[in-house]
Amino acid sequence: MTQQAKITFVTGGSGGIGKSACARMLAHTLGLHGYRTGLVDGNPGQQSQRSYLRIPDSKALEYAMV
């Protein structure tokens, strides 16, 4: 049986409306319930998720070796 990944996007208009916080809470809650989650910040100039989670630039997705 093949399983399909479900993808959820958190989007909105202007800054400061809670998109990043909502995405973090959603990923965290799904993880607590046993789902494998990945959190990707789509704003390469800001990277608020990486900053909030204190992930060093050396561990950034754009520097990953494939």
Side-chain angles (χ1 to χ4, degrees):
M1 178 181 208
T2 303
Q3 293 184 357
Q4 292 183 347
K6 295 183 180 171
I7 300 173
T8 300
F9 291 93
V10 177
T11 65
S14 63
I17 62 172
K19 297 180 297 285
S20 295
C22 179
R24 275 193 307 275
M25 289 185 281
L26 180 60
H28 179 74
T29 302
L30 288 170
L32 290 175
H33 285 87
Y35 291 90
R36 293 177 63 191
T37 63
L39 182 59
V40 178
D41 192 334
N43 185 345
Q46 184 181 19
Q47 293 299 313
S48 61
Q49 300 293 15
R50 185 185 314 155
S51 176
Y52 182 85
L53 297 170
R54 297 187 180 120
I55 298 170
D57 286 346
S58 62
K59 301 282 186 180
L61 182 62
E62 53 267 33
Y63 300 114
M65 303 276 281
V66 179

